[in-house]
Amino acid sequence: MKWLFSSIFLISLLSSCEEISTTDGSIAKYTYSIDSWENLGGQTIVVLDAGNPSSLDQELSFSVEAVNKSGERFIKDTSIHFSKTEKSKNFELILDTESEIEKVEVSVQEKI
């Protein structure tokens, strides 16, 4: 009796399972990060890293923002181009800033 009950339970469990579908193309189109930044008086050097894990021919437009201790914001935009064979790029960007910088942020501007 136990065997029959176990068999019926197992068969009903297996028949109710459903395969979970995954989305194709789930690799990121690009990655980016700030490796480091250094404030040198009137300028701030920002070292950025960008990746092209999906091997696309694409251009990325970055907006880099530095904020000093007084809350003033200094923004500079730049672009880089990836060919299909390029996987990553490291580059430096120099911003004209004032006083001591408290934080630096970067964002990618999506092209529509």
Side-chain angles (χ1 to χ4, degrees):
M1 186 70 164
K2 288 182 184 180
W3 181 83
L4 180 62
F5 180 71
S6 298
S7 298
I8 292 172
F9 177 73
L10 183 61
I11 290 171
S12 66
L13 182 63
L14 291 175
S15 65
S16 65
C17 291
E18 200 174 303
E19 184 177 332
I20 298 173
S21 64
T22 57
T23 305
D24 291 337
S26 60
I27 295 175
K29 290 193 284 187
Y30 54 83
T31 60
Y32 63 94
S33 65
I34 296 175
D35 284 343
S36 63
W37 59 272
E38 184 176 353
N39 185 232
L40 304 170
Q43 293 182 326
T44 300
I45 298 174
V46 182
V47 180
L48 299 164
D49 179 49
N52 184 24
S54 55
S55 299
L56 294 174
D57 185 24
Q58 63 182 328
E59 185 167 321
L60 301 178
S61 297
F62 293 94
S63 183
V64 179
E65 179 181 42
V67 181
N68 67 13
K69 292 203 181 234
S70 302
E72 294 177 280
R73 298 180 182 280
F74 306 93
I75 300 171
K76 187 166 187 177
D77 296 330
T78 190
S79 295
I80 62 168
H81 181 81
F82 281 109
S83 67
K84 290 181 179 183
T85 59
E86 293 176 300
K87 290 292 185 187
S88 67
K89 289 186 179 186
N90 292 16
F91 57 100
E92 295 179 1
L93 188 66
I94 298 175
L95 284 85
D96 291 325
T97 57
E98 295 176 8
S99 74
E100 189 175 348
I101 298 300
E102 189 171 73
K103 68 178 179 177
V104 176
E105 297 176 343
V106 64
S107 62
V108 172
Q109 301 167 349
E110 292 277 341
K111 293 185 179 186
I112 299 174

